Amino acid sequence: MQPVRKVMSATHFKKARSDDGKEKWTPCSPGDPAAVEKTWAEVEGEELHEPPLRMADFIKSLASVRPTVTQADIKKHDDWTQESGACLL
């Protein structure tokens, strides 16, 4: 989701060549010499060059995303597995 968040929070975009060789809009810093002030709503879907997913995006997500399974849930699952006689490999 980090690249999506970058697009949605961007206040400036610049033209960049996409993988298909076409020039498309990609989010950039307002200080970029090629920056044009616009929002993501002003960029058509086929004109958008999504930012690449980077390791920093994963690290940022890991720092802010909460677990969806609690330790109590894991213990219940482990207890059920032991009671049912299932073999863990």
Side-chain angles (χ1 to χ4, degrees):
M1 286 298 293
Q2 293 301 330
V4 174
R5 288 185 182 102
K6 286 177 191 173
V7 169
M8 293 182 72
S9 66
T11 58
H12 290 73
F13 288 77
K14 68 179 179 179
K15 288 284 191 170
R17 192 154 314 276
S18 65
D19 296 337
D20 61 7
K22 297 179 182 174
E23 276 202 344
K24 296 184 177 184
W25 292 103
T26 192
C28 68
S29 164
D32 191 299
V36 175
E37 187 174 357
K38 57 171 58 195
T39 67
W40 68 272
E42 297 173 88
V43 179
E44 294 294 326
E46 64 274 357
E47 295 179 319
L48 179 65
H49 180 64
E50 301 88 359
L53 186 59
R54 304 204 184 276
M55 181 58 76
D57 297 325
F58 285 100
I59 293 168
K60 186 174 183 179
S61 292
L62 288 172
S64 63
V65 174
R66 285 175 264 129
T68 58
V69 179
T70 66
Q71 287 297 322
D73 293 331
I74 293 170
K75 181 169 179 7
K76 277 200 269 185
H77 176 74
D78 287 344
D79 292 346
W80 178 85
T81 301
Q82 293 213 358
E83 287 174 20
S84 69
C87 177
L88 297 177
L89 299 178

